[in-house]
Amino acid sequence: MARSKSNNIQINISIPAEWKYQLENLARIYSVEEGKTITFLDLMRRGIQEKYQLGEQTNEYGEGTIS
């Protein structure tokens, strides 16, 4: 089965270890509050989306995504 093409690109960044530690702690809290698994990368995406007021993309299931 062929993979569908995505408009996403991958980038590599470096952040301080303390930031990652704090984001992981926040992700655990958000996961409990939202009742689903949230990663520190999800939080970074959300932050970028909110900061630059970017629109959401919709996946094949009609759910909004920011990946």
Side-chain angles (χ1 to χ4, degrees), residues 7-44:
N7 290 331
N8 297 338
I9 61 168
Q10 181 176 342
I11 60 171
N12 295 315
I13 65 168
S14 178
I15 62 172
E18 182 62 25
W19 291 15
K20 183 176 182 275
Y21 175 75
Q22 293 299 327
L23 285 167
E24 287 173 336
N25 287 336
L26 285 171
R28 285 188 202 96
I29 293 167
Y30 276 78
S31 292
V32 170
E33 289 177 356
E34 295 185 17
K36 62 181 182 180
T37 302
I38 306 293
T39 67
F40 78 95
L41 295 172
D42 294 328
L43 294 181
M44 292 176 65

